[in-house]
Amino acid sequence: MMNRLICAVSVCLTIVPGVAIAVENGIERGKQEYMIACAGCHGESAMGTGPIAELLSIETPNLTTITKRSGGGAFPYRNTVLVIDGRDDIRAHGGDMPIWGDRFVSDVRRDDPPWATPESAELVAMGRVLALVRYLESVQQ
């Protein structure tokens, strides 16, 4: 019985740091994705003050207040995924935001790696969207 407990504790102590590193790496990947795809409009600070924002005919939202704007409480993870992906008719800004899901799928197809299939392109696109959402969740005020 004691051996099982020691084994279980050892496994947990081995897994927990790995999970923490994976979460941190996911947020860092999301930040990189954000700087490439989003910072032009929303700004490096995610406060809606990117260099392209003043050229748009719409107001660019402050992405550090997503949780607050959704009523507080928990970060609206699912809705944020749907808005960024953009292929489910949930459009921010009345449809003026790019449909990132299509763009991310197109990136895989354009690069045409030997492993690319329609399914793998979807998985890569969703991974990029999820990384962005994890990053946005991490910058909430």
Side-chain angles (χ1 to χ4, degrees):
M1 185 70 154
M2 185 61 133
N3 287 341
R4 286 185 187 170
L5 178 62
I6 292 171
C7 186
V9 169
S10 297
V11 168
C12 287
L13 291 174
T14 302
I15 291 173
V16 169
V19 170
I21 290 168
V23 168
E24 187 174 311
N25 286 343
I27 292 171
E28 185 57 35
R29 283 189 178 273
K31 181 177 182 178
Q32 292 169 359
E33 195 70 59
Y34 176 86
M35 292 302 170
I36 293 166
C38 311
C41 294
H42 295 281
E44 289 185 17
S45 67
M47 294 182 156
T49 57
I52 297 172
E54 63 188 42
L55 304 174
L56 300 174
S57 61
I58 56 167
E59 185 176 334
T60 309
N62 179 340
L63 299 179
T64 67
T65 60
I66 294 171
T67 301
K68 187 185 304 181
R69 288 193 318 266
S70 71
F75 179 78
Y77 201 90
R78 181 178 183 278
N79 188 61
T80 306
V81 167
L82 294 173
V83 168
I84 292 171
D85 181 84
R87 296 179 286 177
D88 285 334
D89 289 335
I90 295 178
R91 300 303 316 138
H93 319 303
D96 292 326
M97 191 168 103
I99 300 174
W100 290 107
D102 283 344
R103 288 188 181 196
F104 293 157
V105 166
S106 294
D107 286 351
V108 174
R109 291 184 181 149
R110 182 194 66 232
D111 294 342
D112 197 26
W115 51 264
T117 65
E119 295 81 14
S120 63
E122 281 294 327
L123 289 172
V124 169
M126 187 50 60
R128 291 175 72 180
V129 170
L130 292 174
L132 270 168
V133 173
R134 288 285 298 137
Y135 173 68
L136 291 175
E137 181 181 34
S138 77
V139 298
Q140 296 304 292
Q141 294 178 357

